[in-house]
Amino acid sequence: MAALLRRWICWVSVGELAGFCVPTAAASLLTDLPPVALLGVMVVAGAVEGTVLGWTQARVLREAVPAASGHRWVTLTAAAAALAWFCGMLAPTTFETWRHWPVPVQIALGLVLGSVLLTSIGTAQWLELRRHVQHAGRWVGASALAWALGLGAFSAVSTPLWQPGQSTALIIVIGLLGGAAMAVTMAVTTGLVLRRLLVPPTASRSRRPPASTRSVATGTIR
């Protein structure tokens, strides 16, 4: 399982960073688009990111779970990533529409969009994972946590570096630095959970010596 974890972290980190290049470039180069058009572009870019991420994840997952459908995993991940980007871009691109709404409504909307954003990929992947792995429902929460930590890492790296007046090229580079931090954080978190899910429930117990042996060792058999 240690080897699986290492492969997962390496492949998923590279896959997420490579996929993240697409929305990063789109957001930096197409800022002058009308809000609705930009929203559509980012949803498509998010689907591309999800496709690349899903492919690298499926490559490693099928080594441990050969029965898992790589095609289904990629398709579900791509669709979920598109939904996540829709949720993430909806608020800023429709700011003029909702900025005068009551504060409680704004907060409620933010909570709904944030929840969908964080759980979309994990929930979509659960649809395939549940066919092959026990307790697959844990993947939804673990994935949400992984993306929350990843987005936090992205903000911690990129936000202090972005300054007004920077060139487009520099903005993209800073975004990719943050993307690398996000990718590694997400890959490590999901990898640790996946390793735990794939360990057979009886594996830890099977390594324990029989009760009689333990009793002999402690001198309790009469």
Side-chain angles (χ1 to χ4, degrees):
M1 283 300 172
L4 175 71
L5 177 61
R6 288 194 298 270
R7 290 195 297 274
W8 177 271
I9 293 174
C10 290
W11 275 98
V12 174
S13 296
V14 172
E16 169 56 20
L17 179 58
F20 189 66
C21 289
V22 178
T24 298
S28 301
L29 298 174
L30 303 175
T31 54
D32 294 331
L33 284 178
V36 175
L38 180 60
L39 177 61
V41 168
M42 296 308 296
V43 168
V44 173
V48 175
E49 177 188 0
T51 299
V52 179
L53 171 64
W55 183 82
T56 55
Q57 288 179 325
R59 178 185 175 91
V60 181
L61 177 65
R62 295 190 73 247
E63 294 178 15
V65 188
S69 170
H71 179 267
R72 182 176 170 84
W73 185 274
V74 172
T75 301
L76 290 169
T77 305
L83 175 60
W85 272 99
F86 175 80
C87 293
M89 294 296 298
L90 186 61
T93 55
T94 60
F95 176 73
E96 292 300 324
T97 300
W98 59 263
R99 70 189 182 97
H100 298 299
W101 292 359
V103 172
V105 175
Q106 294 182 25
I107 294 174
L109 179 62
L111 290 174
V112 170
L113 292 176
S115 298
V116 174
L117 186 156
L118 292 176
T119 60
S120 57
I121 291 180
T123 301
Q125 293 175 339
W126 165 79
L127 295 174
E128 175 62 21
L129 198 62
R130 65 175 181 168
R131 299 182 173 193
H132 314 285
V133 178
Q134 292 183 348
H135 309 297
R138 297 173 184 173
W139 183 253
V140 179
S143 179
L145 174 62
W147 285 108
L149 294 175
L151 290 171
F154 176 86
S155 297
V157 172
S158 296
T159 302
L161 297 177
W162 274 325
Q163 301 296 330
Q166 292 174 328
S167 66
T168 300
L170 181 57
I171 291 173
I172 292 175
V173 170
I174 294 173
L176 292 179
L177 285 175
M182 177 180 68
V184 173
T185 301
M186 181 273 296
V188 171
T189 305
T190 53
L192 291 171
V193 175
L194 181 65
R195 181 179 66 173
R196 187 170 184 84
L197 286 176
L198 294 180
V199 173
T202 58
S204 59
R205 290 194 296 269
S206 65
R207 289 193 294 267
R208 297 173 62 189
S212 60
T213 303
R214 297 198 306 272
S215 299
V216 170
T218 58
T220 57
I221 283 188
R222 293 175 174 81

